[in-house]
Amino acid sequence: MLAATAEIDPDSWAVTLTPRLAQFVAVARHEHVTRAAQQLGMPQSTLSRSMARLEKDLGVALFARHGRTVSLTAAGRAFLGTVERALAEVDRAAESVRADADPAGGKVAFGFLHTLGPETVPELIRAFRADHPRVRFQLVQNYGEAMLERLRAGELDLCLTSPVPDAPDLVARRLDEQKLRLVVPEDHRLASRKRVRLVEAAAEWFVTLEPGYGLRRITDAVCAAAGFTPKVAFEGEEAETLRGLVAAGLGVALLPPPAVPRPGVVELTVTAPRAVREIGVAWLDGHPDTAPVAAFKRFLLSRRGQLLARGANSVGADGG
């Protein structure tokens, strides 16, 4: 959605002059109205009236007329340089959006959670590009709410997020779910265990993501289901930072599996309550897809239940 400041003033010079700028450039280059009209595929009389109206609107003579030929005035030469640059920029913009929509080599603006960056997203893109090798990606890592804002602003085509959003202006599809683990320091009283009921950590200090993050909402909800409100010692913005805080003995955390095992911590399977986070894909309802976006959306939906690597990242993993 464009901000109000981006609205076009109907009385602006751009609105007044734009339809005639390409005609002006053609006449200036040919220095002959008839030849310019032939190039443009329009009647000579229509082009002459258009140039006269352009000069009248500007209040400046752009051409000196010599029978059937014309030449630029000083004002016309100054105007021509700026107009040519403006039209070239329009051409570049048009080619850019056409290139982004190209079925074979277009662009997908794709957002995803930080925790999906090390393994899941690279593997998804690798698999997709096996059949679409020229499709380009603009990748954005962020927390869920920030990505949904960018989705609504038209800055993203698709995003992988958690929890799966439920909003009237968005379409969301659940793709997979991921076990969360209780992460404790390696010298913690529970570190010798493989499995734990979350209530056994009710007296512990927790390190969590900041309010507004999807994983924070899930953490609070799972702890509530276990019958307690977590005591929060530290809040951060990134899961691996939280693991570092746990390794330093500053608390425990409820986190998805790491891409690479972290020294200094032990990760315990939570047997009760059910501690998982759903991963889903979301897009703006009613927003038309370019061909590459539509292809990548179909690919993601085809990975339902197989989005995450089997083993450490998935619900099917033992997690011990």
Side-chain angles (χ1 to χ4, degrees):
M1 292 176 288
L2 296 177
T5 53
E7 292 179 0
I8 295 176
D9 181 356
D11 296 323
S12 70
W13 282 113
V15 171
T16 301
L17 301 180
T18 297
R20 296 192 290 272
L21 294 183
Q23 298 169 3
F24 164 71
V25 171
V27 175
R29 288 174 176 171
H30 285 283
E31 296 188 333
H32 198 286
V33 177
T34 301
R35 287 198 291 270
Q38 290 171 345
Q39 176 198 331
L40 295 169
M42 62 189 300
Q44 180 268 329
S45 58
T46 301
L47 182 57
S48 293
R49 286 195 299 270
S50 179
M51 292 300 95
R53 179 64 185 273
L54 176 61
E55 291 176 307
K56 181 180 179 181
D57 287 340
L58 287 173
V60 175
L62 301 174
F63 299 103
R65 288 160 175 83
H66 317 281
R68 295 185 179 183
T69 64
V70 297
S71 61
L72 289 170
T73 63
R77 285 192 296 273
F79 192 51
L80 176 64
T82 301
V83 168
E84 287 182 319
R85 289 192 293 274
L87 293 178
E89 189 63 28
V90 171
D91 281 341
R92 283 192 290 271
E95 287 302 318
S96 176
V97 296
R98 283 171 56 84
D100 287 348
D102 178 67
K107 183 180 74 174
V108 178
F110 182 43
F112 53 93
L113 301 169
H114 288 283
T115 50
L116 300 177
E119 286 188 334
T120 300
V121 169
E123 172 56 25
L124 285 173
I125 293 176
R126 183 203 65 77
F128 175 74
R129 292 191 69 186
D131 294 322
H132 303 82
R134 291 174 48 214
V135 169
R136 296 169 290 122
F137 282 84
Q138 175 190 347
L139 301 177
V140 175
Q141 289 179 272
N142 215 320
Y143 66 97
E145 286 301 319
M147 285 193 296
L148 297 183
E149 289 176 11
R150 296 186 70 166
L151 202 63
R152 291 182 169 106
E155 297 173 12
L156 292 176
D157 298 310
L158 303 163
C159 69
L160 287 182
T161 188
S162 177
V164 180
D166 180 12
D169 60 335
L170 301 176
V171 180
R173 297 287 183 268
R174 178 187 176 280
L175 296 179
D176 215 333
E177 57 182 22
Q178 190 175 45
K179 273 188 176 179
L180 301 180
R181 296 169 171 180
L182 182 67
V183 185
V184 301
E186 61 183 359
D187 59 354
H188 191 271
R189 61 182 176 84
L190 297 173
S192 61
R193 305 268 295 277
K194 289 188 175 183
R195 295 171 178 78
V196 65
R197 291 178 299 116
L198 191 58
V199 70
E200 296 179 74
E204 302 289 337
W205 285 97
F206 277 70
V207 295
T208 71
L209 296 180
E210 295 176 351
Y213 282 69
L215 186 57
R216 172 61 180 271
R217 294 200 300 274
I218 294 170
T219 295
D220 290 346
V222 172
C223 289
F228 69 95
T229 299
K231 300 185 299 180
V232 177
F234 294 92
E235 296 175 336
E237 297 181 343
E238 209 277 320
E240 288 311 300
T241 299
L242 300 187
R243 271 194 174 81
L245 294 173
V246 173
L250 300 177
V252 302
L254 200 60
L255 296 173
V260 178
R262 174 74 182 247
V265 301
V266 175
E267 311 223 355
L268 308 176
T269 297
V270 178
T271 59
R274 190 168 186 266
V276 300
R277 67 168 181 172
E278 291 186 335
I279 308 294
V281 58
W283 61 88
L284 194 61
D285 190 20
H287 193 275
D289 291 334
T290 63
V293 171
F296 190 57
K297 182 187 293 184
R298 288 193 299 271
F299 170 78
L300 290 176
L301 294 175
S302 75
R303 302 281 292 228
R304 283 191 181 99
Q306 301 174 352
L307 182 78
L308 304 169
R310 297 296 98 181
N313 280 335
S314 69
V315 169
D318 176 72

